[in-house]
């Protein structure tokens, strides 16, 4: 068929062939469920339904694309949150280690301070013993010097 024929002419020709002489007031193809699209191709779906189906198909494709983008964004966000959680856990472990180190250093200093205080007390006692021994030896020396002086004077 040549493309320059109008839709109505094609429809009336097809109707005339299929149904014989019929009044042209009604579209018998539409009643039979046949329709012509914008390219004058014979279709089974009504043009409105076909258009709405195409629109719905496009909307669904857009929706699926947006869901895919959303999943990528959420996946990236989840990865980022996981990385931050790992970093936070690492920093937490470092902080716990530093706190434990400070506690052990403080305990070591306290133990060292107690050792030094015990050493000071021991040295003070030793000093006191040396002082008493010095006093005793000084007394003995003075007695011996006095004895020597008396012995020399007696001669």
């Amino acid at each position: 068929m040549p493309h320059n024929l109008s839709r109505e002419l094609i429809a009336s020709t097809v109707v005339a062939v299929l149904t014989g002489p019929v009044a042209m007031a009604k579209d018998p193809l539409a009643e039979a469920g046949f329709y012509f699209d914008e390219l004058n191709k014979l279709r089974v779906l009504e043009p409105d339904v076909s258009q709405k189906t195409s629109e719905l198909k496009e909307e669904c494709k857009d929706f699926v694309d947006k869901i895919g983008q959303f999943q990528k964004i959420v996946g990236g966000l989840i990865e980022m949150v996981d990385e931050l959680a790992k970093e936070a856990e690492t920093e937490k472990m470092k902080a716990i280690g530093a706190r434990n180190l400070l506690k052990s250093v403080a305990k070591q200093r306290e133990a060292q301070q107690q050792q030094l205080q015990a050493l000071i007390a021991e040295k003070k006692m030793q000093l006191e013993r040396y002082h008493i021994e010095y006093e005793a030896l000084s007394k003995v020396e003075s007695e011996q010097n006095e004895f020597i002086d008396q012995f020399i004077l007696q001669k």
Side-chain angles (χ1 to χ4, degrees):
M1 286 186 197
H3 289 281
N4 57 358
L5 293 177
S6 71
R7 181 177 171 183
E8 291 81 26
L9 181 60
I10 294 172
S12 63
T13 307
V14 171
V15 169
V17 170
L18 292 177
T19 60
V22 178
M24 294 290 178
K26 294 182 179 178
D27 190 6
L29 285 177
E31 288 178 5
F34 296 107
Y35 306 93
F36 287 97
D37 64 6
E38 62 276 350
L39 300 175
N40 289 326
K41 289 187 178 181
L42 190 60
R43 302 287 180 190
V44 177
L45 286 176
E46 291 182 33
D48 291 346
V49 173
S50 178
Q51 181 183 357
K52 288 181 182 178
T53 302
S54 295
E55 289 173 3
L56 181 61
K57 180 180 175 183
E58 286 299 316
E59 288 178 17
C60 288
K61 184 180 179 288
D62 291 343
F63 179 75
V64 167
D65 290 344
K66 287 180 182 178
I67 290 293
Q69 290 173 353
F70 178 74
Q71 286 177 333
K72 286 180 185 177
I73 291 170
V74 168
L77 181 63
I78 289 172
E79 286 178 18
M80 188 168 47
V81 167
D82 286 343
E83 288 177 25
L84 289 173
K86 287 178 185 177
E87 288 178 22
E89 188 66 26
T90 301
E91 291 300 319
K92 179 181 170 185
M93 296 308 281
K94 285 181 184 178
I96 289 172
R99 183 180 63 198
N100 290 342
L101 180 62
L102 286 175
K103 283 182 182 178
S104 69
V105 166
K107 286 180 181 179
Q108 285 176 350
R109 283 188 180 173
E110 187 176 318
Q112 186 180 21
Q113 184 179 10
Q114 288 176 352
Q115 287 176 347
L116 290 173
Q117 287 176 345
L119 184 61
I120 289 170
E122 183 182 326
K123 295 295 181 181
K124 281 183 179 180
M125 287 175 45
Q126 188 177 14
L127 178 64
E128 185 64 30
R129 281 194 310 267
Y130 286 154
H131 186 63
I132 293 171
E133 186 178 344
Y134 174 75
E135 291 294 325
L137 288 174
S138 293
K139 186 177 177 184
V140 169
E141 179 187 21
S142 120
E143 289 173 357
Q144 287 179 351
N145 283 338
E146 194 176 307
F147 176 76
I148 292 173
D149 286 343
Q150 283 179 1
F151 182 73
I152 292 178
L153 286 177
Q154 286 179 356
K155 276 192 175 186

